Amino acid sequence: MAPKSSDSVIADINWLRDEINRFNYQYYVLDDPSVPDAEYDRLFNQLKAIESEQPSLITPDSPTQRVGAMPLAAFKTVAHEKPMLSLDNAFADDDLIAFDKRLKDRLEHAGDIEYACEPKLDGIAISLLYEDGLLVRALTRGDGLNGEDITANVRTIKTVPLKLYGDDYPQRLEVRGEIFMPKAGFAALNDAARAADEKIFVNPRNAAAGSLRQLDSRITAKRPLQLCAYSVGIHEGQALPAKHTDILLSLKRWGFAPNDQLQVASSIAQCIAYHQRLGDARDSLDYDIDGVVFKVNNINQQEELGFVSRAPRWAIAYKFPAQEELTTLEAVEFQVGRTGSITPVARLAPVFVGGVTVSNATLHNRDEIARLDVRVGDTVIVRRAGDVIPQIVAVVKDRRPVDAAEIIFPAQCPACGSPATEVPGEAAIRCEGGLICPAQRKEAICHFVSRKALDVDGLGDKLVEQLVDKSLITTVADLFTLTREQLAELPRMGEKSADNVLAALNASKQTSLARFIYALGIREVGEATARNLAGHFGQLDALAQADEEVLQQVDDVGPVVAHFIRDFFIAQENIDIVNRLRELGVHWPEQEISASDKPQPLAEQTVVITGTLESMSRDQAGEKLRALGAKVAGSVSKKTSFIVAGPGAGSKLTKAEALGVKVLNEADMQALLAEHAATNNNSD
Ligand code: 9MJ
């Protein structure tokens, strides 16, 4: 590629500076960021890279030459006695290794450097000044040199001590840290905002910023904010310990809650392991983090290393993959679910976010689309955190193209053309076609053969789609009359695959009542409810004949679910399908004993299974534990009795260890099952 002319480099620089300044203004002054942090970081790093190649083009007003942006006019601006700097970033292990090497060279230090490892909380940096142990002032970071005085708001935060504990604190002490909103508090705040038809926050960071910028501190007081203290700024009247982690211990004695993930690493290799471990645990933490921070632990070494323009040399933030990115909404399609609900699905220009490439996101319903005010062609912020399906959290309105098209809901089902009707009290629309609708049929059949239902191995969504499209099957019962020839003729099948599918179908005929009930796909009857129904009624016919009052005696079954179950068994076409399935050989042990009649050695115990097991699948292990009365849950909490962890266990194991929950390996679980199997046999 030909080198760029200096004119075009200047044009690039000017464009980058304008964009960065605009984002800064939106972020700090308007409290209304228009792009995700990752986009900001990218532009900032681009500008830094160009300027470091051509230092003569650096001007004092370049955004790289100062720390942040201007403070909000509404609060009093106060100069920081000691600037609040930001952190340099690492994005890969190699960046960290290079950082460590730089420090060793500078310190002329041959051995390993000791680092303090901290999660990097995604909140608002704050400076808290204490005089004679009393909180006298709280400033935001602002541009790093001048912050805003938000003392009245910060005083409302319960984890900020108004008076320090003990009596061995410095006479003047500046504590620095991050104010953040825990995930649970954020979710509750947004739920309340949604219910009141108020503006919701894009993410916990944005909610924390908005809460701190209230001019009326009574509003701040109602927001679930917390403080994580991570360093000391000025301190007068008393020396501090010589290690960063010991300073944090002093802060703990003076009343600041320590972070639960703080660790010391004796080498950069241990820092890399810490980054990996926290990356795995990221989703199970109670608060959002966007990376981890490593700080040289020895304060003398910190002082020797000093600072570069915006950041200390002795610390680095190792970022995680961004959970929010920009992309464009290319189209909206309407998907018909198993029970006829029609959901808008966003088709996005593929974007790497939260560690995977995302090209679809749910748009939920009409209310959500109205709330986002999103149109086809818009630039949108997609968020993918943990295993949650990707969401569009906001629209970048100033990038809206002139021809952006409004999203129109169909009047007809896109799959069968039946009327699509609004359901009173629901924001969803629903296809009225029932089993005439091929989309509903396909979904119902996919559900019937899915892992937690009849578990037909090798019969995936694509194959079901072909079978329905070619009219080889209309209902789930038709699956069991498929022939080898019919299957073998399908594209990409062949005789061997056909035989495998037939063998899997045959094997699936022997099932359990709970699986069969779940497989029927009755609205609102999930796996747990199906199990409760099977345990309660013992026989399918008893369930089919139960009226709504009787149904409501079952755990988890309220009037709505009872009504859906009754509706299902009143319909003759459903009864016909059930009868045909039984004629074709689908069967289960006739009288399943209700769980309450069996010995329940693990009753009252909640178990979580994670990682890979060798002798059985997690589902099978769950069934065995449930048979002994245990409740099998998907996430770890203080109430978890024990977890079973196989190889590859990640955040759930970390969380269990952090909470002190008992951890069993597969052999321990086998021993437990064997022990109780023996007891059960004895009691028979
Ligand atoms: C956060 N955001 O959690 C620092 N930070 O240290 C931690 N930020 C920091 N440390 C010096 N844990 C400047 C910023």
PDB file of all heavy atoms in Angstrom, residues 84-87 117-125 141 176-178 228-231 244 259 262 289-295 312 314-315 317, ligand 1:
ATOM      1  N   MET A  84      -6.096  12.431  38.885  1.00  0.00           N
ATOM      2  CA  MET A  84      -6.624  11.060  38.831  1.00  0.00           C
ATOM      3  C   MET A  84      -6.360  10.533  37.434  1.00  0.00           C
ATOM      4  O   MET A  84      -6.984  10.974  36.470  1.00  0.00           O
ATOM      5  CB  MET A  84      -8.120  11.043  39.113  1.00  0.00           C
ATOM      6  CG  MET A  84      -8.436  11.221  40.584  1.00  0.00           C
ATOM      7  SD  MET A  84     -10.189  11.013  40.902  1.00  0.00           S
ATOM      8  CE  MET A  84     -10.349   9.240  40.978  1.00  0.00           C
ATOM      9  N   LEU A  85      -5.434   9.617  37.355  1.00  0.00           N
ATOM     10  CA  LEU A  85      -5.015   9.155  36.036  1.00  0.00           C
ATOM     11  C   LEU A  85      -5.849   7.972  35.599  1.00  0.00           C
ATOM     12  O   LEU A  85      -6.606   7.398  36.374  1.00  0.00           O
ATOM     13  CB  LEU A  85      -3.535   8.801  36.082  1.00  0.00           C
ATOM     14  CG  LEU A  85      -2.681   9.988  36.497  1.00  0.00           C
ATOM     15  CD1 LEU A  85      -1.261   9.553  36.772  1.00  0.00           C
ATOM     16  CD2 LEU A  85      -2.712  11.081  35.446  1.00  0.00           C
ATOM     17  N   SER A  86      -5.676   7.630  34.341  1.00  0.00           N
ATOM     18  CA  SER A  86      -6.370   6.439  33.873  1.00  0.00           C
ATOM     19  C   SER A  86      -5.329   5.332  33.710  1.00  0.00           C
ATOM     20  O   SER A  86      -4.180   5.493  34.117  1.00  0.00           O
ATOM     21  CB  SER A  86      -7.087   6.727  32.565  1.00  0.00           C
ATOM     22  OG  SER A  86      -6.157   7.218  31.645  1.00  0.00           O
ATOM     23  N   LEU A  87      -5.745   4.230  33.133  1.00  0.00           N
ATOM     24  CA  LEU A  87      -4.849   3.080  33.038  1.00  0.00           C
ATOM     25  C   LEU A  87      -4.546   2.767  31.589  1.00  0.00           C
ATOM     26  O   LEU A  87      -5.411   2.910  30.723  1.00  0.00           O
ATOM     27  CB  LEU A  87      -5.532   1.852  33.668  1.00  0.00           C
ATOM     28  CG  LEU A  87      -5.768   1.910  35.173  1.00  0.00           C
ATOM     29  CD1 LEU A  87      -6.717   0.805  35.604  1.00  0.00           C
ATOM     30  CD2 LEU A  87      -4.441   1.783  35.912  1.00  0.00           C
ATOM     31  N   CYS A 117      -3.554  -8.156  41.922  1.00  0.00           N
ATOM     32  CA  CYS A 117      -4.515  -8.420  40.845  1.00  0.00           C
ATOM     33  C   CYS A 117      -5.907  -8.033  41.336  1.00  0.00           C
ATOM     34  O   CYS A 117      -6.345  -8.482  42.395  1.00  0.00           O
ATOM     35  CB  CYS A 117      -4.541  -9.900  40.476  1.00  0.00           C
ATOM     36  SG  CYS A 117      -2.922 -10.611  40.239  1.00  0.00           S
ATOM     37  N   GLU A 118      -6.582  -7.204  40.557  1.00  0.00           N
ATOM     38  CA  GLU A 118      -7.918  -6.731  40.949  1.00  0.00           C
ATOM     39  C   GLU A 118      -8.856  -6.822  39.756  1.00  0.00           C
ATOM     40  O   GLU A 118      -8.422  -6.612  38.627  1.00  0.00           O
ATOM     41  CB  GLU A 118      -7.849  -5.248  41.369  1.00  0.00           C
ATOM     42  CG  GLU A 118      -6.881  -4.980  42.486  1.00  0.00           C
ATOM     43  CD  GLU A 118      -6.653  -3.480  42.729  1.00  0.00           C
ATOM     44  OE1 GLU A 118      -7.274  -2.651  42.040  1.00  0.00           O
ATOM     45  OE2 GLU A 118      -5.839  -3.171  43.605  1.00  0.00           O
ATOM     46  N   PRO A 119     -10.143  -7.098  39.985  1.00  0.00           N
ATOM     47  CA  PRO A 119     -11.078  -6.989  38.863  1.00  0.00           C
ATOM     48  C   PRO A 119     -11.202  -5.511  38.478  1.00  0.00           C
ATOM     49  O   PRO A 119     -11.064  -4.641  39.344  1.00  0.00           O
ATOM     50  CB  PRO A 119     -12.398  -7.506  39.434  1.00  0.00           C
ATOM     51  CG  PRO A 119     -12.258  -7.442  40.901  1.00  0.00           C
ATOM     52  CD  PRO A 119     -10.797  -7.468  41.237  1.00  0.00           C
ATOM     53  N   LYS A 120     -11.429  -5.231  37.216  1.00  0.00           N
ATOM     54  CA  LYS A 120     -11.628  -3.846  36.801  1.00  0.00           C
ATOM     55  C   LYS A 120     -13.124  -3.591  36.728  1.00  0.00           C
ATOM     56  O   LYS A 120     -13.797  -4.037  35.792  1.00  0.00           O
ATOM     57  CB  LYS A 120     -10.962  -3.593  35.446  1.00  0.00           C
ATOM     58  CG  LYS A 120     -11.040  -2.145  35.026  1.00  0.00           C
ATOM     59  CD  LYS A 120     -10.203  -1.888  33.792  1.00  0.00           C
ATOM     60  CE  LYS A 120     -10.221  -0.416  33.430  1.00  0.00           C
ATOM     61  NZ  LYS A 120     -11.564   0.075  33.122  1.00  0.00           N
ATOM     62  N   LEU A 121     -13.621  -2.942  37.749  1.00  0.00           N
ATOM     63  CA  LEU A 121     -15.063  -2.697  37.811  1.00  0.00           C
ATOM     64  C   LEU A 121     -15.458  -1.660  36.778  1.00  0.00           C
ATOM     65  O   LEU A 121     -14.712  -0.701  36.545  1.00  0.00           O
ATOM     66  CB  LEU A 121     -15.466  -2.223  39.207  1.00  0.00           C
ATOM     67  CG  LEU A 121     -15.681  -3.375  40.183  1.00  0.00           C
ATOM     68  CD1 LEU A 121     -14.384  -3.849  40.767  1.00  0.00           C
ATOM     69  CD2 LEU A 121     -16.653  -2.971  41.263  1.00  0.00           C
ATOM     70  N   ASP A 122     -16.626  -1.864  36.204  1.00  0.00           N
ATOM     71  CA  ASP A 122     -17.089  -0.958  35.173  1.00  0.00           C
ATOM     72  C   ASP A 122     -18.081   0.008  35.814  1.00  0.00           C
ATOM     73  O   ASP A 122     -19.284  -0.221  35.815  1.00  0.00           O
ATOM     74  CB  ASP A 122     -17.753  -1.777  34.065  1.00  0.00           C
ATOM     75  CG  ASP A 122     -17.744  -1.033  32.759  1.00  0.00           C
ATOM     76  OD1 ASP A 122     -17.132   0.045  32.701  1.00  0.00           O
ATOM     77  OD2 ASP A 122     -18.357  -1.532  31.804  1.00  0.00           O
ATOM     78  N   GLY A 123     -17.530   1.061  36.407  1.00  0.00           N
ATOM     79  CA  GLY A 123     -18.396   2.026  37.085  1.00  0.00           C
ATOM     80  C   GLY A 123     -17.867   3.430  36.894  1.00  0.00           C
ATOM     81  O   GLY A 123     -17.366   3.762  35.820  1.00  0.00           O
ATOM     82  N   ILE A 124     -17.967   4.237  37.941  1.00  0.00           N
ATOM     83  CA  ILE A 124     -17.564   5.640  37.876  1.00  0.00           C
ATOM     84  C   ILE A 124     -16.444   5.851  38.887  1.00  0.00           C
ATOM     85  O   ILE A 124     -16.627   5.573  40.070  1.00  0.00           O
ATOM     86  CB  ILE A 124     -18.754   6.552  38.281  1.00  0.00           C
ATOM     87  CG1 ILE A 124     -20.006   6.186  37.473  1.00  0.00           C
ATOM     88  CG2 ILE A 124     -18.401   8.022  38.146  1.00  0.00           C
ATOM     89  CD1 ILE A 124     -19.836   6.320  35.986  1.00  0.00           C
ATOM     90  N   ALA A 125     -15.295   6.364  38.416  1.00  0.00           N
ATOM     91  CA  ALA A 125     -14.171   6.573  39.330  1.00  0.00           C
ATOM     92  C   ALA A 125     -14.480   7.760  40.244  1.00  0.00           C
ATOM     93  O   ALA A 125     -15.077   8.751  39.817  1.00  0.00           O
ATOM     94  CB  ALA A 125     -12.900   6.830  38.530  1.00  0.00           C
ATOM     95  N   ARG A 141     -13.967  11.790  38.724  1.00  0.00           N
ATOM     96  CA  ARG A 141     -12.660  11.940  38.101  1.00  0.00           C
ATOM     97  C   ARG A 141     -12.646  13.131  37.150  1.00  0.00           C
ATOM     98  O   ARG A 141     -11.634  13.805  36.997  1.00  0.00           O
ATOM     99  CB  ARG A 141     -12.300  10.651  37.372  1.00  0.00           C
ATOM    100  CG  ARG A 141     -10.992  10.728  36.660  1.00  0.00           C
ATOM    101  CD  ARG A 141     -10.483   9.328  36.390  1.00  0.00           C
ATOM    102  NE  ARG A 141      -9.695   9.350  35.189  1.00  0.00           N
ATOM    103  CZ  ARG A 141     -10.175   9.165  33.981  1.00  0.00           C
ATOM    104  NH1 ARG A 141     -11.461   8.919  33.820  1.00  0.00           N
ATOM    105  NH2 ARG A 141      -9.397   9.202  32.942  1.00  0.00           N
ATOM    106  N   ARG A 176      -9.567   6.445  46.778  1.00  0.00           N
ATOM    107  CA  ARG A 176     -10.085   6.406  45.404  1.00  0.00           C
ATOM    108  C   ARG A 176     -10.706   5.049  45.121  1.00  0.00           C
ATOM    109  O   ARG A 176     -10.263   4.033  45.664  1.00  0.00           O
ATOM    110  CB  ARG A 176      -8.956   6.689  44.423  1.00  0.00           C
ATOM    111  CG  ARG A 176      -8.479   8.108  44.574  1.00  0.00           C
ATOM    112  CD  ARG A 176      -7.337   8.416  43.655  1.00  0.00           C
ATOM    113  NE  ARG A 176      -7.038   9.843  43.716  1.00  0.00           N
ATOM    114  CZ  ARG A 176      -6.092  10.420  43.011  1.00  0.00           C
ATOM    115  NH1 ARG A 176      -5.344   9.700  42.198  1.00  0.00           N
ATOM    116  NH2 ARG A 176      -5.894  11.720  43.099  1.00  0.00           N
ATOM    117  N   GLY A 177     -11.695   5.069  44.298  1.00  0.00           N
ATOM    118  CA  GLY A 177     -12.349   3.799  43.991  1.00  0.00           C
ATOM    119  C   GLY A 177     -13.368   3.953  42.888  1.00  0.00           C
ATOM    120  O   GLY A 177     -13.384   4.968  42.174  1.00  0.00           O
ATOM    121  N   GLU A 178     -14.178   2.949  42.766  1.00  0.00           N
ATOM    122  CA  GLU A 178     -15.162   2.911  41.688  1.00  0.00           C
ATOM    123  C   GLU A 178     -16.547   2.785  42.317  1.00  0.00           C
ATOM    124  O   GLU A 178     -16.748   1.945  43.201  1.00  0.00           O
ATOM    125  CB  GLU A 178     -14.855   1.666  40.822  1.00  0.00           C
ATOM    126  CG  GLU A 178     -15.397   1.709  39.441  1.00  0.00           C
ATOM    127  CD  GLU A 178     -14.497   2.465  38.452  1.00  0.00           C
ATOM    128  OE1 GLU A 178     -13.449   3.021  38.863  1.00  0.00           O
ATOM    129  OE2 GLU A 178     -14.877   2.512  37.273  1.00  0.00           O
ATOM    130  N   CYS A 228     -16.267   0.340  45.501  1.00  0.00           N
ATOM    131  CA  CYS A 228     -15.102  -0.538  45.650  1.00  0.00           C
ATOM    132  C   CYS A 228     -13.888   0.393  45.723  1.00  0.00           C
ATOM    133  O   CYS A 228     -13.582   1.103  44.759  1.00  0.00           O
ATOM    134  CB  CYS A 228     -14.990  -1.469  44.446  1.00  0.00           C
ATOM    135  SG  CYS A 228     -13.400  -2.304  44.368  1.00  0.00           S
ATOM    136  N   ALA A 229     -13.223   0.424  46.885  1.00  0.00           N
ATOM    137  CA  ALA A 229     -12.057   1.304  47.047  1.00  0.00           C
ATOM    138  C   ALA A 229     -10.834   0.565  46.522  1.00  0.00           C
ATOM    139  O   ALA A 229     -10.626  -0.593  46.860  1.00  0.00           O
ATOM    140  CB  ALA A 229     -11.876   1.659  48.515  1.00  0.00           C
ATOM    141  N   TYR A 230     -10.022   1.222  45.673  1.00  0.00           N
ATOM    142  CA  TYR A 230      -8.862   0.515  45.137  1.00  0.00           C
ATOM    143  C   TYR A 230      -7.529   1.241  45.292  1.00  0.00           C
ATOM    144  O   TYR A 230      -6.504   0.699  44.901  1.00  0.00           O
ATOM    145  CB  TYR A 230      -9.078   0.080  43.689  1.00  0.00           C
ATOM    146  CG  TYR A 230      -9.487   1.171  42.716  1.00  0.00           C
ATOM    147  CD1 TYR A 230      -8.650   2.227  42.416  1.00  0.00           C
ATOM    148  CD2 TYR A 230     -10.726   1.096  42.080  1.00  0.00           C
ATOM    149  CE1 TYR A 230      -9.027   3.196  41.531  1.00  0.00           C
ATOM    150  CE2 TYR A 230     -11.116   2.072  41.176  1.00  0.00           C
ATOM    151  CZ  TYR A 230     -10.268   3.123  40.910  1.00  0.00           C
ATOM    152  OH  TYR A 230     -10.640   4.080  40.031  1.00  0.00           O
ATOM    153  N   SER A 231      -7.531   2.448  45.830  1.00  0.00           N
ATOM    154  CA  SER A 231      -6.221   3.059  46.087  1.00  0.00           C
ATOM    155  C   SER A 231      -6.350   4.281  46.989  1.00  0.00           C
ATOM    156  O   SER A 231      -7.454   4.739  47.283  1.00  0.00           O
ATOM    157  CB  SER A 231      -5.504   3.441  44.789  1.00  0.00           C
ATOM    158  OG  SER A 231      -6.147   4.540  44.188  1.00  0.00           O
ATOM    159  N   HIS A 244       0.866  -2.238  48.164  1.00  0.00           N
ATOM    160  CA  HIS A 244      -0.481  -1.846  47.772  1.00  0.00           C
ATOM    161  C   HIS A 244      -1.534  -2.710  48.473  1.00  0.00           C
ATOM    162  O   HIS A 244      -2.527  -2.196  48.996  1.00  0.00           O
ATOM    163  CB  HIS A 244      -0.601  -1.964  46.243  1.00  0.00           C
ATOM    164  CG  HIS A 244      -1.985  -1.770  45.723  1.00  0.00           C
ATOM    165  ND1 HIS A 244      -2.602  -0.536  45.701  1.00  0.00           N
ATOM    166  CD2 HIS A 244      -2.882  -2.653  45.232  1.00  0.00           C
ATOM    167  CE1 HIS A 244      -3.816  -0.671  45.198  1.00  0.00           C
ATOM    168  NE2 HIS A 244      -4.019  -1.941  44.904  1.00  0.00           N
ATOM    169  N   ASN A 259     -12.668  -5.853  47.919  1.00  0.00           N
ATOM    170  CA  ASN A 259     -13.180  -6.620  46.788  1.00  0.00           C
ATOM    171  C   ASN A 259     -12.921  -8.103  47.037  1.00  0.00           C
ATOM    172  O   ASN A 259     -11.878  -8.487  47.568  1.00  0.00           O
ATOM    173  CB  ASN A 259     -12.501  -6.168  45.494  1.00  0.00           C
ATOM    174  CG  ASN A 259     -13.056  -6.921  44.312  1.00  0.00           C
ATOM    175  OD1 ASN A 259     -12.584  -7.989  43.972  1.00  0.00           O
ATOM    176  ND2 ASN A 259     -14.105  -6.395  43.720  1.00  0.00           N
ATOM    177  N   LEU A 262      -9.648  -9.923  45.085  1.00  0.00           N
ATOM    178  CA  LEU A 262      -8.284  -9.401  45.180  1.00  0.00           C
ATOM    179  C   LEU A 262      -7.283 -10.541  45.410  1.00  0.00           C
ATOM    180  O   LEU A 262      -7.534 -11.430  46.219  1.00  0.00           O
ATOM    181  CB  LEU A 262      -8.233  -8.419  46.351  1.00  0.00           C
ATOM    182  CG  LEU A 262      -6.892  -7.746  46.577  1.00  0.00           C
ATOM    183  CD1 LEU A 262      -6.640  -6.720  45.490  1.00  0.00           C
ATOM    184  CD2 LEU A 262      -6.863  -7.089  47.947  1.00  0.00           C
ATOM    185  N   ILE A 289     -17.616  -6.420  35.122  1.00  0.00           N
ATOM    186  CA  ILE A 289     -16.217  -6.014  35.028  1.00  0.00           C
ATOM    187  C   ILE A 289     -15.848  -6.008  33.550  1.00  0.00           C
ATOM    188  O   ILE A 289     -16.405  -6.773  32.761  1.00  0.00           O
ATOM    189  CB  ILE A 289     -15.260  -6.942  35.828  1.00  0.00           C
ATOM    190  CG1 ILE A 289     -15.327  -8.406  35.357  1.00  0.00           C
ATOM    191  CG2 ILE A 289     -15.586  -6.882  37.308  1.00  0.00           C
ATOM    192  CD1 ILE A 289     -14.324  -9.311  36.086  1.00  0.00           C
ATOM    193  N   ASP A 290     -14.930  -5.112  33.173  1.00  0.00           N
ATOM    194  CA  ASP A 290     -14.546  -5.092  31.763  1.00  0.00           C
ATOM    195  C   ASP A 290     -13.108  -5.534  31.573  1.00  0.00           C
ATOM    196  O   ASP A 290     -12.556  -5.424  30.495  1.00  0.00           O
ATOM    197  CB  ASP A 290     -14.841  -3.736  31.112  1.00  0.00           C
ATOM    198  CG  ASP A 290     -14.135  -2.586  31.800  1.00  0.00           C
ATOM    199  OD1 ASP A 290     -13.523  -2.818  32.858  1.00  0.00           O
ATOM    200  OD2 ASP A 290     -14.181  -1.458  31.280  1.00  0.00           O
ATOM    201  N   GLY A 291     -12.505  -6.040  32.647  1.00  0.00           N
ATOM    202  CA  GLY A 291     -11.149  -6.547  32.557  1.00  0.00           C
ATOM    203  C   GLY A 291     -10.597  -6.747  33.959  1.00  0.00           C
ATOM    204  O   GLY A 291     -11.360  -6.781  34.937  1.00  0.00           O
ATOM    205  N   VAL A 292      -9.280  -6.894  34.043  1.00  0.00           N
ATOM    206  CA  VAL A 292      -8.630  -6.958  35.360  1.00  0.00           C
ATOM    207  C   VAL A 292      -7.506  -5.921  35.371  1.00  0.00           C
ATOM    208  O   VAL A 292      -7.042  -5.490  34.308  1.00  0.00           O
ATOM    209  CB  VAL A 292      -8.070  -8.367  35.666  1.00  0.00           C
ATOM    210  CG1 VAL A 292      -9.199  -9.354  35.891  1.00  0.00           C
ATOM    211  CG2 VAL A 292      -7.164  -8.866  34.559  1.00  0.00           C
ATOM    212  N   VAL A 293      -7.101  -5.515  36.576  1.00  0.00           N
ATOM    213  CA  VAL A 293      -6.028  -4.527  36.701  1.00  0.00           C
ATOM    214  C   VAL A 293      -4.876  -5.173  37.454  1.00  0.00           C
ATOM    215  O   VAL A 293      -5.097  -5.845  38.460  1.00  0.00           O
ATOM    216  CB  VAL A 293      -6.500  -3.282  37.489  1.00  0.00           C
ATOM    217  CG1 VAL A 293      -5.402  -2.218  37.487  1.00  0.00           C
ATOM    218  CG2 VAL A 293      -7.776  -2.715  36.906  1.00  0.00           C
ATOM    219  N   PHE A 294      -3.669  -4.980  36.948  1.00  0.00           N
ATOM    220  CA  PHE A 294      -2.478  -5.451  37.652  1.00  0.00           C
ATOM    221  C   PHE A 294      -1.671  -4.235  38.083  1.00  0.00           C
ATOM    222  O   PHE A 294      -1.452  -3.322  37.275  1.00  0.00           O
ATOM    223  CB  PHE A 294      -1.630  -6.346  36.739  1.00  0.00           C
ATOM    224  CG  PHE A 294      -2.397  -7.542  36.249  1.00  0.00           C
ATOM    225  CD1 PHE A 294      -2.711  -7.689  34.905  1.00  0.00           C
ATOM    226  CD2 PHE A 294      -2.839  -8.513  37.144  1.00  0.00           C
ATOM    227  CE1 PHE A 294      -3.434  -8.782  34.463  1.00  0.00           C
ATOM    228  CE2 PHE A 294      -3.566  -9.609  36.714  1.00  0.00           C
ATOM    229  CZ  PHE A 294      -3.865  -9.744  35.366  1.00  0.00           C
ATOM    230  N   LYS A 295      -1.270  -4.236  39.351  1.00  0.00           N
ATOM    231  CA  LYS A 295      -0.500  -3.107  39.879  1.00  0.00           C
ATOM    232  C   LYS A 295       0.751  -3.650  40.553  1.00  0.00           C
ATOM    233  O   LYS A 295       0.662  -4.627  41.303  1.00  0.00           O
ATOM    234  CB  LYS A 295      -1.326  -2.349  40.926  1.00  0.00           C
ATOM    235  CG  LYS A 295      -2.594  -1.734  40.351  1.00  0.00           C
ATOM    236  CD  LYS A 295      -3.480  -1.133  41.423  1.00  0.00           C
ATOM    237  CE  LYS A 295      -4.737  -0.561  40.774  1.00  0.00           C
ATOM    238  NZ  LYS A 295      -5.764  -0.183  41.746  1.00  0.00           N
ATOM    239  N   PRO A 312      -0.220   5.731  35.124  1.00  0.00           N
ATOM    240  CA  PRO A 312       0.963   5.262  35.841  1.00  0.00           C
ATOM    241  C   PRO A 312       1.663   4.174  35.031  1.00  0.00           C
ATOM    242  O   PRO A 312       1.005   3.391  34.352  1.00  0.00           O
ATOM    243  CB  PRO A 312       0.399   4.680  37.142  1.00  0.00           C
ATOM    244  CG  PRO A 312      -1.034   4.372  36.865  1.00  0.00           C
ATOM    245  CD  PRO A 312      -1.475   5.318  35.791  1.00  0.00           C
ATOM    246  N   TRP A 314       3.225   1.788  36.442  1.00  0.00           N
ATOM    247  CA  TRP A 314       3.249   0.577  37.267  1.00  0.00           C
ATOM    248  C   TRP A 314       1.931  -0.205  37.268  1.00  0.00           C
ATOM    249  O   TRP A 314       1.761  -1.155  38.035  1.00  0.00           O
ATOM    250  CB  TRP A 314       3.636   0.934  38.711  1.00  0.00           C
ATOM    251  CG  TRP A 314       2.965   2.182  39.233  1.00  0.00           C
ATOM    252  CD1 TRP A 314       3.493   3.438  39.251  1.00  0.00           C
ATOM    253  CD2 TRP A 314       1.652   2.286  39.794  1.00  0.00           C
ATOM    254  NE1 TRP A 314       2.594   4.331  39.792  1.00  0.00           N
ATOM    255  CE2 TRP A 314       1.458   3.645  40.131  1.00  0.00           C
ATOM    256  CE3 TRP A 314       0.627   1.383  40.046  1.00  0.00           C
ATOM    257  CZ2 TRP A 314       0.273   4.113  40.703  1.00  0.00           C
ATOM    258  CZ3 TRP A 314      -0.553   1.841  40.615  1.00  0.00           C
ATOM    259  CH2 TRP A 314      -0.718   3.197  40.935  1.00  0.00           C
ATOM    260  N   ALA A 315       0.994   0.192  36.416  1.00  0.00           N
ATOM    261  CA  ALA A 315      -0.293  -0.529  36.402  1.00  0.00           C
ATOM    262  C   ALA A 315      -0.754  -0.714  34.971  1.00  0.00           C
ATOM    263  O   ALA A 315      -0.392   0.054  34.075  1.00  0.00           O
ATOM    264  CB  ALA A 315      -1.341   0.247  37.187  1.00  0.00           C
ATOM    265  N   ALA A 317      -4.395  -2.263  32.680  1.00  0.00           N
ATOM    266  CA  ALA A 317      -5.714  -2.915  32.653  1.00  0.00           C
ATOM    267  C   ALA A 317      -5.708  -3.907  31.502  1.00  0.00           C
ATOM    268  O   ALA A 317      -5.429  -3.531  30.369  1.00  0.00           O
ATOM    269  CB  ALA A 317      -6.809  -1.875  32.440  1.00  0.00           C
TER     270      ALA A 317
HETATM  271  C1  9MJ B   1     -11.257  -0.410  38.649  1.00  0.00           C
HETATM  272  N1  9MJ B   1     -11.876   0.333  37.752  1.00  0.00           N
HETATM  273  O1  9MJ B   1     -11.787  -1.373  39.163  1.00  0.00           O
HETATM  274  C2  9MJ B   1      -8.121   1.115  39.178  1.00  0.00           C
HETATM  275  N2  9MJ B   1      -9.913  -0.007  39.009  1.00  0.00           N
HETATM  276  O2  9MJ B   1      -6.023   2.173  39.665  1.00  0.00           O
HETATM  277  C3  9MJ B   1      -9.058  -0.690  39.843  1.00  0.00           C
HETATM  278  N3  9MJ B   1      -9.309   1.103  38.601  1.00  0.00           N
HETATM  279  C4  9MJ B   1      -7.157   2.169  39.020  1.00  0.00           C
HETATM  280  N4  9MJ B   1      -7.945   0.022  39.933  1.00  0.00           N
HETATM  281  C5  9MJ B   1      -5.352   3.285  39.293  1.00  0.00           C
HETATM  282  N5  9MJ B   1      -9.336  -1.865  40.443  1.00  0.00           N
HETATM  283  C6  9MJ B   1      -6.108   3.976  38.410  1.00  0.00           C
HETATM  284  C7  9MJ B   1      -7.281   3.274  38.236  1.00  0.00           C
END
